[in-house]
Structures are given as structure tokens and as C-alpha cells.
Amino acid sequence: MSQMNPAASGRREADRFNKGGRLRVLLRRPEVGAFFVMVVVIVAIAIASNGVALNPLGLKNNLSIIAQFGIIATGACLLMIAGEFDLSIGSMIGFAGMSMAMMLKWGLPFGLGPATPVTAFFLTLAMTLAIGWLIGFTVVRSGLSSFIVTLAFLFFLRGLTEVCFRLINQSTQISGLPDYKQESWFAWIFGGESFGWLYDLWFALGGNLNRAGEQWVTGLDAKVVWWLLIAGAAAVLMARTQAGNWIYATGDNRESARANGVPVDKVRISLFMLTAFCSTVFAACQVFDTNTADAAKGNLKELEAIAIAVVGGTLMTGGFGTVLGVVFGAVTFGLVANAVFFIPAIDGSYYRVFVGVVLLIAVFLNEGVRKRITGGI
Amino acid sequence: MPDSNTSQPIMRVEALTKKFGPFTALNGIDFEVHAGEVHALLGDNGAGKSTLIKILSGVHKPTSGRILIDGREAEFDSPRDASRAGIGTVYQDLALNPLMSVTRNFFMGREISRGPKPFSWLAMDEMARITHDEMVKIGIDISDPSQAVGTMSGGQRQTLAIARAIHFGARVLILDEPTSALGQKQQMEVLKTIQRVRLRGDIAIIFITHNEVHAKLVADRFTFLALGEVIGRGTRADLEGEDIRHLMAGGANISDLQKQLEAVRLSGRAAS
């Protein structure tokens, strides 16, 4: 000890953790990888489409699909942070859409008379939440992987949807429902328009013109508001509430969370109900917007929701991820999905090629970010 | 009882027995801990240390025998009960979540929040301040309570788990092999932490370890277990180094062990 370095004697273990400056702190945010991927995609698509993707109509169409993705990906993200998967999201969308459209066309079950958008929605929501609870309860009680349990429900619900359609409707499609959003405010909040003021303002400022020089687009889809509400509520929940801490704790290490008194089973069941809720909102927006339903609706949406959550920086094994990252992921994914419409030169099937490439790039970036934050776990 | 301390122990265990079917894991354990003391519980693998702490922390129920807290008989139906009675157990895995921040780990499951639960608003600043202060009290100044636990050293994690147990009302602190799986320097950090907690004077520490050197450095009192029974006990002054090593080996003499090793060596040579 005679050779002791005087500089080392005053050092403590805590000094080894370099907090860094403001930029370093920003670069350690878990969303940073997702953010850069999103910026690159926005710029690339704006250039490749000659700005068409960001003109009034392009923005409306893009945000419509981004909002759809965002709604289900938020639920999938929270569930993944808690360490579980839900592969039944797509089938749940199909089931909820079928249920609402069928009640609107054929009336409420058990001869309760004709349905209104309100009764159709809430009866459907009650069913989907019950199914979500059942999925969660099965996972928690059986100890089986949620992958398997929800895979079973993927088949079960899709099959059930088709059977119900054929038995009652004689066809797997319903189209030509009345345009409920014109009369019912409740249908309007799902299928109507939002942010009309923004487009009015755009017109007033001299943009948003059609060929005749009149106002071109009147507003965004109502689902954009649902997306912002759900994502905002989820972001606050995760960052600032006790429930958020429980969700992170459940997904990081379930046994240590349980040892500290976190009700891990309740947390997981509630989140399976949340994904069911998000699927139902997704379906309601679709039904009240287009006044149609189809047994194939929502097909593969569960995988897209998981992919968006992962692009947004959510860790597949749980315990890590943010809602803001998933917002960036949804924007990225939605733009890529829609890109083929704005860039006419390319084949529509390039969509999946892009998605695959973006998914891999984002995951590599996110891995790097996560290792920096968590010390290489 | 060889106990000369006249003050009332915080916790006393009397004739504790635990049977798992035909297997007797613990056979009549007597044991007590006093405030401001470190009680080292030593024994080889399979001696019954883990079973004993699982009973004390409410995971298992004893087959017979009593646990007295402040002289009153206590019965634990769950780890929650034990925790409420003031028994804080820091397990080897520490029950920490590596991806979460120090503050979120410290208050995991017992968050300070306002409003209707569970959607109540977390008081993050207050929690971060308490976490920082409690860690400083037992010797570690973390620079950033929002850093992930995964970025901390093993010694720091141990300190975090101990600070958490104390903050949430542990009067008997059970440390399950806190120095195993740590580097030399971090082991010293943990021993220093134990010393600081001891000096507070109001907490009794049960220090479970394999390592007689560590036990001798901080413990006031020793209990040795072998095959589910107490085979020796005493204060630091009572026990000399050879005694401890002898008891650690489950009652076998070191010279016996040397003879046995020699016999193995010779038989190996004869075979070849």
C-alpha cells in the first residue's frame, strides 16, 4: 500500500457512474433509437413521395393508419413491459367488429330489441373485457406461457367470429349499415372527424386548397384523438403512477416483485383486459367510420402491434420500454405501411420488405440504447 | 442458555423444529438476537440455515416450537406477516429488478403516492430523496437515484436491499449470505454496511454466512448449525479461531480432514 495513488484514494464507487451533460442524458432516454429511426423514415418518405405523403390528404391518411397502429401497440407495449404477449389482438378486433355490426344490423341478443351505437359498443366491450379477463386468468392460474394461451384465443376467436357471421348473417361480411355517425354523437366520436380547426386554420393561412380553390380536407379521423388519449394516459400511467411501477416490476422480475408485495397477477390480468379494450376501440373506429364489418378484419394485427412495440424500444422479455417510444414506433410503422400509396413507382408488396428492414434496424439500435442504460443486461 | 446478556432479546426462538415429511430439517433450535448486535449463523450446506431463515421470515411454518418477538409469541402466515412484525429478510437474489431505477426498486410495492389507488400519483421527488438519504445513512452515496440497478455494483445492490429493509421497519435484519458472489472489495463494503447498521443500536442483525473470516470481523455472537441442530454457540470472546473452523466443518477436526485427504491421495496413488 506504499505505492497508493493519491488520486485514487478520494474516489468512491459512485464516481464511476458518469451522469454526463444534458445531451448525454437525452441520449440515454430509452426512446432515442426509435426517435432517430422515425426521423429518418419521415424525411425519406417526404422526399421519395415529393411531399405528397405530408400534404393535407396525405397527412390525414397517414395519421389514420398511424392512429390505428398506435391504439393497439400501446396496449401491446404495456403488456409486453409486464412480461406477457397477446397474440389474440387481431382476432379480438375481428370479433369486436363482428359483434357491433351484427347487433346494429340484427338487433341486440336475447330479443332485447334494436341496438343503438351506444348499446352495441358497451355490450361488445363487456364481452371483450370478459374474454381479456379469461385470457389473463388462464395465463396466471395455469402458469402457461401467454404465447400459447393467446395463440389458442387467436384461433378460437377468429373461428367464433366466422361461425357467428355464417349462422346469423349467412355471409362473412356486413356492409351498407346506416351512416350512424351522422346522427349519433356516440358513433361520431369513433367514426367522425377531429382536428377540423387545424385544417380550417391551414385553409385560412392559404394552404389546404383543392383544384377549385376551395377547402380540400376538412379534418383528421376521430381515431387520432383516441390514439392520443390512450397513449397519453398510458404514458402518464407508466411514468407517474403506482400502477406503472407495478407493471415495470412485474415484467422485470416477477418473483422479486411478488416478494415486495406487488400484486403481479392482478397487474397481468388487467393488462390482458387493456389489450382487449384497445382492440375494441380499434374495431369501433373501423365499424363507425366505414359502416362495414368483415370476418377477416384485424388479421395479423397482433404481430404488427408487437413489431411496433419492439420498434419503439420495448424489450421482448419485459421490464423495459416506454409509451413515447411506441408513439414513435407507430409513426414509423404507419408511414412505412402507407408509403406504397405515395410512391407509385414501387410495388405494393414492398410494404413488408420495408417493415422487415425497419424492424431489424430499430431493434439493433434499441439494443444498444438499452445496454447503455441498464449496464449490459 | 450460555447467554449472559440481561436485556430482553428482540427475537427469541425456542425449540424450533421443522419436518418435511420424513425428513427433519431442523431439530430443536434455540436462538436469540439482541438490538445492536450481529449474530452470525454459520454452517455448511444442508445444515438447516435456509430452512431456519425461511421460518423466521414467514415462508415456512415451523412443525413445533415458538418464535417470540419482544417476549410475545408471534405466528407468521406469510412473509407479509413477518415483515409487519419487523423482520426484514435480504435474500441472496436481493429481490431487486435490474432494469428499474434505484428509487423504483427501493419503493417497489410500497410506493409513496397520492390519490385513489392503484392509479395514484407517485411522489417521485420525495421517493428519490428518501432513497438517497437512506443509502447515505448506511454508507453509499449514489450519484443518481434514477440510474438503473443493473448499473450498480454487487455491493451497492446489497446496500440498497439492506437500506430498503431498514426503511420499511425491519428491527431484525436477516442477511442471507450477503458476501457470497461478491469481489473482495465489495465484500468489505458490505461488511462496513453491516457495521454501520449495527452501530445504530436499534437493529438486530442475523448474518448467515459460510465465511468464518467475515463472521469474525463483524459478529458479536455465533451460532453453528450442523444437520439441523445447534452444535455450538458463543460470543466473540468465547471462541478462538480453531474452534470456529472446527465447528464450521460440522464438528470434524481439521486434522481429521487432513488425514482423510491424505488417505484419498494415497489410494489414488495405489490405483495408478
Side-chain angles (χ1 to χ4, degrees):
Chain A
M1 276 293 166
S2 58
Q3 289 272 307
M4 196 149 159
N5 178 359
S9 60
R11 287 180 73 225
R12 288 168 303 139
E13 183 67 32
D15 296 330
R16 296 177 63 183
F17 188 76
N18 183 4
K19 278 179 85 171
R22 189 165 297 184
L23 185 67
R24 288 281 300 276
V25 171
L26 216 56
L27 283 179
R28 259 211 320 274
R29 297 280 314 164
E31 304 89 2
V32 69
F35 179 75
F36 280 120
V37 172
M38 178 184 76
V39 170
V40 168
V41 165
I42 290 175
V43 171
I45 285 178
I47 293 171
S49 68
N50 267 327
V52 175
L54 300 180
N55 73 17
L57 187 62
L59 207 60
K60 176 191 165 88
N61 290 339
N62 277 324
L63 277 172
S64 172
I65 192 153
I66 288 169
Q68 281 193 337
F69 281 145
I71 288 168
I72 48 172
T74 305
C77 161
L78 264 54
L79 187 64
M80 271 171 73
I81 292 175
E84 305 290 346
F85 280 109
D86 190 353
L87 295 179
S88 70
I89 290 175
S91 298
M92 190 74 86
I93 290 170
F95 175 81
M98 175 275 292
S99 164
M100 277 181 270
M102 208 100 91
M103 285 185 206
L104 290 169
K105 184 173 179 187
W106 299 101
L108 294 173
F110 314 115
L112 289 169
T116 64
V118 179
T119 50
F121 176 78
F122 282 106
L123 251 176
T124 302
L125 185 62
M127 281 192 283
T128 53
L129 288 181
I131 297 169
W133 178 87
L134 180 65
I135 293 173
F137 184 77
T138 312
V139 169
V140 165
R141 272 301 162 93
S142 67
L144 289 170
S145 150
S146 56
F147 189 92
I148 299 301
V149 174
T150 57
L151 185 63
F153 275 88
L154 177 151
F155 291 116
F156 175 83
L157 286 174
R158 184 66 71 190
L160 190 66
T161 304
E162 285 171 10
V163 167
C164 289
F165 261 129
R166 291 225 180 80
L167 274 181
I168 301 167
N169 195 49
Q170 270 78 46
S171 148
T172 57
Q173 288 181 341
I174 287 179
S175 56
L177 287 172
D179 197 7
Y180 288 101
K181 60 179 174 284
Q182 299 303 335
E183 278 102 50
S184 159
W185 62 269
F186 190 80
W188 172 262
I189 63 172
F190 288 104
E193 279 191 343
S194 62
F195 291 102
W197 55 271
L198 205 65
Y199 276 86
D200 293 345
L201 191 68
W202 197 342
F203 175 63
L205 292 174
N208 191 15
L209 299 169
N210 64 11
R211 292 220 174 92
E214 292 151 347
Q215 181 164 352
W216 183 18
V217 181
T218 51
L220 298 174
D221 287 347
K223 49 177 92 91
V224 176
V225 176
W226 280 101
W227 171 46
L228 296 177
L229 282 178
I230 290 174
V236 169
L237 182 86
M238 294 308 285
R240 278 283 169 268
T241 71
Q242 186 175 37
N245 209 38
W246 290 353
I247 293 171
Y248 280 117
T250 301
D252 195 340
N253 181 340
R254 199 190 307 152
E255 287 320 309
S256 77
R258 206 195 297 270
N260 283 295
V262 175
V264 293
D265 292 349
K266 271 188 202 155
V267 166
R268 289 186 291 160
I269 293 175
S270 312
L271 289 174
F272 279 109
M273 293 172 75
L274 175 72
T275 57
F277 171 79
C278 291
S279 306
T280 311
V281 170
F282 182 111
C285 290
Q286 212 164 43
V287 167
F288 291 117
D289 182 17
T290 62
N291 304 313
T292 62
D294 187 319
K297 280 275 159 70
N299 198 17
L300 288 182
K301 283 285 177 280
E302 61 284 332
L303 295 184
E304 288 172 331
I306 291 169
I308 291 163
V310 170
V311 167
T314 313
L315 183 60
M316 298 285 284
T317 46
F320 191 83
T322 65
V323 177
L324 187 59
V326 175
V327 169
F328 297 152
V331 173
T332 305
F333 220 87
L335 284 176
V336 171
N338 252 0
V340 290
F341 299 114
F342 296 104
I343 311 169
I346 58 174
D347 187 298
S349 292
Y350 272 112
Y351 158 51
R352 290 192 192 85
V353 177
F354 290 156
V355 164
V357 172
V358 169
L359 186 61
L360 269 185
I361 293 173
V363 170
F364 283 131
L365 271 178
N366 289 336
E367 276 292 297
V369 173
R370 187 171 54 76
K371 285 193 173 138
R372 262 216 318 277
I373 297 173
T374 60
I377 299 156
Chain B
M1 290 232 114
D3 182 17
S4 57
N5 197 325
T6 47
S7 74
Q8 194 190 28
I10 295 188
M11 181 168 77
R12 182 204 288 279
V13 168
E14 287 176 359
L16 210 61
T17 303
K18 178 68 185 175
K19 292 195 167 97
F20 294 105
F23 179 73
T24 304
L26 292 177
N27 192 15
I29 303 286
D30 296 309
F31 180 69
E32 62 180 50
V33 289
H34 295 262
E37 277 190 4
V38 176
H39 194 135
L41 196 59
L42 296 109
D44 212 351
N45 287 339
K49 299 185 308 256
S50 304
T51 309
L52 180 56
I53 58 168
K54 277 185 179 152
I55 292 173
L56 298 183
S57 57
V59 176
H60 293 326
K61 293 191 88 171
T63 309
S64 66
R66 305 198 298 165
I67 301 171
L68 299 142
I69 307 269
D70 294 326
R72 276 193 304 276
E73 189 163 349
E75 218 173 289
F76 306 140
D77 289 324
S78 70
R80 276 259 123 149
D81 283 357
S83 166
R84 224 168 281 141
I87 296 175
T89 311
V90 176
Y91 290 104
Q92 255 169 306
D93 68 5
L94 302 176
L96 293 175
N97 282 355
L99 297 170
M100 290 165 70
S101 75
V102 176
T103 306
R104 281 174 181 267
N105 265 288
F106 194 94
F107 284 94
M108 194 198 315
R110 288 171 288 208
E111 296 82 358
I112 300 177
S113 57
R114 291 180 191 92
K117 289 175 186 275
F119 302 107
S120 47
W121 204 253
L122 290 179
M124 282 306 279
D125 293 340
E126 189 185 345
M127 295 199 299
R129 188 175 48 72
I130 291 172
T131 304
H132 180 261
D133 292 352
E134 292 285 332
M135 299 272 291
V136 167
K137 268 190 217 163
I138 58 169
I140 287 191
D141 186 1
I142 43 164
S143 52
D144 179 8
S146 68
Q147 81 184 74
V149 163
T151 63
M152 297 170 85
S153 72
Q156 286 180 322
R157 291 183 207 195
Q158 195 80 43
T159 305
L160 169 58
I162 292 171
R164 178 172 67 182
I166 293 173
H167 178 73
F168 288 105
R171 294 169 59 229
V172 178
L173 188 64
I174 302 177
L175 306 177
D176 184 11
E177 311 239 0
T179 55
S180 67
L182 290 182
Q184 198 78 23
K185 222 177 142 192
Q186 293 175 11
Q187 293 179 349
M188 286 316 296
E189 287 298 324
V190 172
L191 293 177
K192 279 195 260 176
T193 302
I194 293 174
Q195 191 71 294
R196 286 193 198 94
V197 176
R198 174 173 170 266
L199 287 174
R200 286 173 50 126
D202 56 344
I203 292 173
I205 301 167
I206 300 176
F207 176 27
I208 292 131
T209 183
H210 272 338
N211 190 320
E212 86 245 20
V213 178
H214 291 167
K216 265 164 68 184
L217 281 169
V218 293
D220 302 286
R221 211 174 284 271
F222 299 81
T223 294
F224 297 88
L225 295 181
L227 303 176
E229 293 182 6
V230 175
I231 57 164
R233 68 173 105 230
T235 61
R236 189 206 292 263
D238 297 342
L239 294 165
E240 288 303 317
E242 272 310 305
D243 288 342
I244 292 183
R245 222 164 284 150
H246 167 70
L247 290 164
M248 272 300 288
N253 275 315
I254 293 295
S255 55
D256 291 346
L257 293 175
Q258 275 168 348
K259 272 181 214 153
Q260 285 172 26
L261 282 172
E262 184 67 10
V264 171
R265 199 172 63 85
L266 288 173
S267 68
R269 193 178 284 167
S272 67

